[in-house]
Amino acid sequence: MKVLEGLYYSKDHEWVKVEGDKAYVGITDYAQHSLGNIVYIELPEVGAELSAGDVLGVVESVKAASDVYIPVNGKVIDVNTSIIDDPSLVNNDPYENWMILVELKDKSQLDNLMTAEKYKKFLDEE
Amino acid sequence: MDSLKKTPLFDLYKKYNGKIIDFAGWALPVQFESIISEHEAVRNAAGLFDVSHMGEITVKGREAFAFLQNLITNDLSKLKDNQVFYTFMCNYDGGVVDDLLVYKYSDKHYYLVVNAANIEKDYKWMRDNKGVYDVEINNISDEVSELAIQGPKAEEILQKLTDTDLSQIKFFYFKDNVKIAGVDCIVSRTGYTGEDGFEIYMPNKYAAELWEKIIETGKEYGLKPVGLGARDTLRFEAGLPLYGNELSEEITPLEAGFEFFVKFDKGNFIGKDALLKQKEEGLKRKIVGFEMIDNGIPRHGYEVRADNQKIGYITTGYFSPTLKKNIGLALIDAKYAEMGNQIEIVIRNKPLKALIISKNFYKKNYKK
């Protein structure tokens, strides 16, 4: 399973890529692999204020619908509409095809997430 | 997973990257490569399914015909030797105990194929209704494995492994003692995908070997191993019901839209009175097909609404891999069941528009 260095990871298999005060959020390779063929994605409205643990969107595979949670507080400043048009992009490259861009409200929350190294270990135990 | 029942092919799943799930108490692969690629392989080339979890029950004896004719809704007098038909076994209220295939060797010997989750229930139901009929009923499910090869290339692939001329086995007929790769099998031209293909029954000990031979032979034709995920999307597109979704003890064959397999003029059978009454009074509920107008995937169990009230629920729903549309089947109040009607599907608390369409989403490719 692909795990990129330099990202933050949650136990629910979301990744966070920080750029200054903003962060891209998506699902990991492990998550897309567990889901199988992704056929539908629902994302929040731009402007939505989300708190860590809130549902940021829904990813549906052929078999089932799964919630995606945001691991940090943030205000949605952009959503990736190209994955709504073609959800299979997330299967092809889950790190390139982010879901939302947020303005980070509390950067200290990143300390609660895993580094790539820790996430790899976490996956080994899954 | 350790407590789950396993088919003789369980140890092979790993080799083909099978993702194992608990299906009605069985450890079975939901997918190998991906549901969509497996689905497409069956529609365009061929797929191989391990369906060894299905149950097999034999009915033999002097009164086998009379016993079964009373037990099932289809007319057994119409079934020829070596022919197979689909039927329901109903309870006295007209609800479906199970849907099954009946293979006829002779009027004293039948072979029944039932759903995995219902094997024990069916077997008990049959024994409970044996009464004074002179028959012997045997549950041989634990001895028999079943493989299904389905798709437009199924015959060509399987033919490479046998001297029996498979083109002589017509749609919904079977042949016994067919040697496939040297293994003695029952082969029927039946299946659950809407495509041409065969179901193959054999003693457990040969199943793994036969699976490998078919995979090997089929590779150059594009055959893939297929899991339960694609099995469900395929049968659903073809308008074939799934027990526990479109059929149950609480849903009658008439409500499910399968009156064709209920022969009221054949004489008495269990459930006839209740079904006849339902037919005469008119159906209060019906299973309909629908297509989403708004964007969203309908799922099993979701609420269906019209006129600001609940009118039913979804029995099966998917993004259809072949049609590339979000479609479903729903059990709804009959007065809303007309084709072309607009209904609402509640997806994550939002009512989304859908249109009632024919349940035959996909045109079947049977070779008749």
Side-chain angles (χ1 to χ4, degrees), chain A residues 8-28:
Chain A
Y8 295 91
Y9 295 90
S10 74
K11 286 181 176 166
D12 296 317
H13 308 286
E14 290 95 12
W15 57 260
V16 179
K17 182 183 178 187
V18 179
E19 284 184 0
D21 290 334
K22 296 174 190 166
Y24 291 94
V25 182
I27 63 169
T28 67

Side-chain angles (χ1 to χ4, degrees), chain B residues 41-112:
Chain B
V42 174
R43 289 273 181 259
N44 303 317
L48 184 64
F49 302 73
D50 175 21
V51 269
S52 301
H53 56 296
M54 300 290 286
E56 292 82 16
I57 296 173
T58 58
V59 176
K60 294 181 190 176
R62 195 172 59 83
E63 291 182 309
F65 169 83
F67 164 71
L68 278 176
Q69 183 74 320
N70 180 58
L71 196 73
I72 61 174
T73 61
N74 208 338
D75 185 357
L76 203 57
S77 70
K78 298 286 193 302
L79 195 64
K80 299 188 193 98
D81 290 0
N82 286 95
Q83 197 177 11
V84 185
F85 73 18
Y86 176 76
T87 186
F88 302 106
M89 183 159 73
C90 284
N91 58 34
Y92 286 91
D93 299 325
V96 179
V97 176
D98 204 1
D99 62 329
L100 60 151
L101 290 181
V102 177
Y103 289 61
K104 180 184 179 185
Y105 282 88
S106 72
D107 58 11
K108 293 182 183 59
H109 181 186
Y110 298 88
Y111 188 87
L112 277 42

